Amino acid sequence: QVQVVESGGGLVQPVGSLRLSCAASGTIFSANDMGWYRQAPRKGRELVATITSSSIANYAESVKGRFAISRRNANNTVFQQMNSLRPEDTAVYYCYAKLRSPTDWSCRAYWGKGTLVTVSS
């Protein structure tokens, strides 16, 4: 069974840093696009960053220069380094992974259950 699990969330003060990680495990042939989305209080889910299998990254304008997404293809893991955190970054962060099955070769999207990041003094 495929699982996508995030970790690294927590409470930090403004201008602090956190590093999120997400690992996809189970019956997987390969991971295509992976990324991070977030949902802040009173807001819908929004894209934070995505990264292709060849490590081409895209970022939301609000996090450019502060967040950095990376991946380790060998174990289907994606990371997000978050620096200079602001209160408006407070949200539940969800890992996204588009994974190809080795059995039927289908490519499906999977979501983690989320990890809470709270930026507050």
Side-chain angles (χ1 to χ4, degrees):
Q1 184 177 8
V2 173
Q3 291 186 318
V4 178
V5 181
E6 309 99 330
S7 63
L11 174 64
V12 297
Q13 296 183 12
V15 310
S17 297
L18 283 175
R19 181 175 173 84
L20 305 181
S21 63
C22 171
S25 62
T27 305
I28 301 168
F29 176 77
S30 64
N32 293 339
D33 289 357
M34 302 183 79
W36 296 92
Y37 292 72
R38 68 186 182 187
Q39 185 159 9
R42 305 180 185 179
K43 297 178 66 177
R45 187 173 298 188
E46 66 173 348
L47 170 71
V48 179
T50 59
I51 185 167
T52 69
S53 60
S54 58
S55 296
I56 298 173
N58 288 283
Y59 298 92
E61 192 67 29
S62 61
V63 307
K64 286 182 178 178
R66 300 189 298 119
F67 291 11
I69 189 170
S70 61
R71 64 187 291 161
R72 185 185 301 154
N73 290 334
N75 57 1
N76 302 311
T77 303
V78 63
F79 307 93
Q80 184 165 268
Q81 179 68 39
M82 306 187 295
N83 300 324
S84 301
L85 285 163
R86 306 164 180 169
E88 54 263 40
D89 294 318
T90 295
V92 176
Y93 285 72
Y94 297 91
C95 178
Y96 166 86
K98 193 173 184 181
L99 309 173
R100 185 173 297 280
S101 169
T103 56
D104 63 3
W105 306 107
S106 64
C107 194
R108 301 174 181 175
Y110 295 85
W111 293 89
K113 65 179 179 61
T115 184
L116 177 63
V117 172
T118 302
V119 185
S120 177
S121 60

